[in-house]
C-alpha cells in the first residue's frame, strides 16, 4: 500500500526520516536497518537524525504514528464509502484492499504490521504505536458493519469482525512474504470477501438490498 507523501522539496529532515523508515523497514525489516542507512535513505545527516530522534526505536515508533495518520487520509477519501447499503460499503472496502495489492512486496505490505512483529517484545513504545495504527483503522469499519448487521438481521460483534478483517490482511501479508509473491494475500482477501457474503446471506449474483 503506497503511502501518501508530500513533494520531496517540501519535506523537512524529520519528515524525510519518517518516510525513509517506512520504506526501508518494509523492505528489509527493523533490526537490519541501521541509523546510518536510514540517514542515507532520507538524504540527511546523522546530526539531523539525532536532532529529531533520540534513537532508532524512537524513529520507528514515530514512523508508525506517521503511517497511521497518513494512511487514514487515503482510506477516508476512498470510494468504498460511496454505496448507500452498509454491506456494500464493507464489501467495497475489501475490494479496495485487494486493489491496493500492486507492485513489489514492500510497496503494499503494512509498515505497522511489519514493525510490530519484530519489536513487540523489545519496545513498548513501538508496540503501542503499531497497535494504535492497526486497531484505530479497524475501528473505522465498525459503524458500517454494525449498520449492515442491523439491516440484514445478523447477530455479530462489529468490533470483532472489524479486527478480523485486519487479521486476515496482516496474515496474508506474512504468507506473501514467505512465498515471495502476492498470491497468498490475494487469496486471503478473496476468502474474506466470501466469508462476509456468506455471513450476511449475500450471494455473488445479488446486488444491494432495496
Amino acid at each position: 500500500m503506497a503511502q501518501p507523501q508530500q513533494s520531496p522539496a517540501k519535506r523537512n529532515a524529520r519528515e524525510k526520516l519518517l518516510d525513509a523508515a517506512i520504506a526501508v523497514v518494509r523492505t528489509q525489516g527493523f533490526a537490519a536497518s541501521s541509523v546510518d542507512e536510514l540517514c542515507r535513505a532520507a538524504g540527511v545527516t546523522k546530526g539531523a537524525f539525532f536532532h529529531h530522534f533520540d534513537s532508532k526505536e524512537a524513529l520507528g515508533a514515530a514512523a508508525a504514528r506517521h503511517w497511521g495518520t497518513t494512511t487514514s487520509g487515503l482510506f477516508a477519501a476512498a470510494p468504498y464509502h460511496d454505496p448507500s447499503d452498509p454491506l456494500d460499503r464493507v464489501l467495497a472496502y475489501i475490494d479496495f484492499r485487494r486493489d491496493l495489492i500492486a507492485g513489489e512486496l514492500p510497496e503494499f505490505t503494512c509498515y505497522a504490521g511489519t514493525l510490530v512483529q519484530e519489536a513487540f517484545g523489545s519496545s513498548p513504545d513501538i508496540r503501542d504505536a503499531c497497535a494504535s495504527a492497526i486497531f484505530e483503522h479497524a475501528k473505522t469499519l465498525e459503524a458500517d458493519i454494525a449498520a449492515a448487521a442491523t439491516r440484514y438481521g445478523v447477530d455479530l460483534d462489529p468490533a470483532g469482525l472489524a479486527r478480523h478483517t485486519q487479521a486476515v490482511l496482516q496474515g496474508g501479508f506474512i504468507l506473501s512474504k514467505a512465498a515471495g509473491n502476492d498470491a497468498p494475500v490475494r487469496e486471503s482477501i478473496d476468502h474474506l470477501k466470501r466469508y462476509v457474503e456468506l455471513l450476511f446471506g449475500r450471494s455473488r449474483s445479488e446486488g444491494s438490498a432495496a
Side-chain angles (χ1 to χ4, degrees):
M1 178 175 61
Q3 179 202 12
Q5 294 185 350
Q6 293 177 300
S7 168
K10 296 181 180 179
R11 291 181 297 153
N12 59 32
R14 186 178 189 278
E15 292 166 339
K16 290 176 181 178
L17 283 163
L18 292 172
D19 291 338
I22 290 170
V24 173
V25 171
R26 288 165 92 188
T27 300
Q28 64 188 37
F30 185 68
S33 304
S34 68
V35 170
D36 287 336
E37 186 171 16
L38 291 165
C39 289
R40 284 195 298 272
V44 304
T45 66
K46 205 167 183 178
F49 179 100
F50 286 108
H51 174 74
H52 292 288
F53 302 103
D54 292 337
S55 64
K56 187 177 78 167
E57 286 73 21
L59 171 59
R65 291 187 284 270
H66 179 63
W67 172 262
T69 299
T70 55
T71 57
S72 66
L74 170 70
F75 288 108
Y80 66 83
H81 299 287
D82 295 342
S84 59
D85 185 313
L87 177 56
D88 287 337
R89 293 196 293 272
V90 175
L91 295 172
Y93 166 79
I94 297 171
D95 288 338
F96 181 70
R97 293 307 303 255
R98 196 181 196 282
D99 290 342
L100 290 176
I101 307 301
E104 299 299 318
L105 287 166
E107 298 177 67
F108 65 76
T109 50
C110 176
Y111 170 76
T114 298
L115 180 61
V116 77
Q117 289 170 53
E118 284 192 66
F120 73 95
S122 60
S123 175
D125 192 26
I126 285 178
R127 181 197 63 218
D128 292 346
C130 292
S132 179
I134 295 168
F135 290 123
E136 289 303 313
H137 176 65
K139 288 179 182 178
T140 67
L141 306 176
E142 291 180 19
D144 284 341
I145 293 172
T150 298
R151 180 165 187 170
Y152 288 88
V154 178
D155 183 17
L156 55 77
D157 172 17
L161 181 54
R163 289 190 294 270
H164 178 66
T165 64
Q166 305 313 297
V168 171
L169 289 163
Q170 296 294 344
F173 293 147
I174 292 172
L175 293 177
S176 278
K177 288 174 183 177
N181 61 70
D182 64 13
V185 68
R186 289 181 179 276
E187 178 184 67
S188 295
I189 294 172
D190 289 344
H191 281 304
L192 174 62
K193 185 173 183 180
R194 282 191 288 270
Y195 169 71
V196 172
E197 288 173 331
L198 288 168
L199 183 64
F200 285 90
R202 171 72 66 83
S203 71
R204 287 293 174 108
S205 61
E206 288 181 301
S208 61

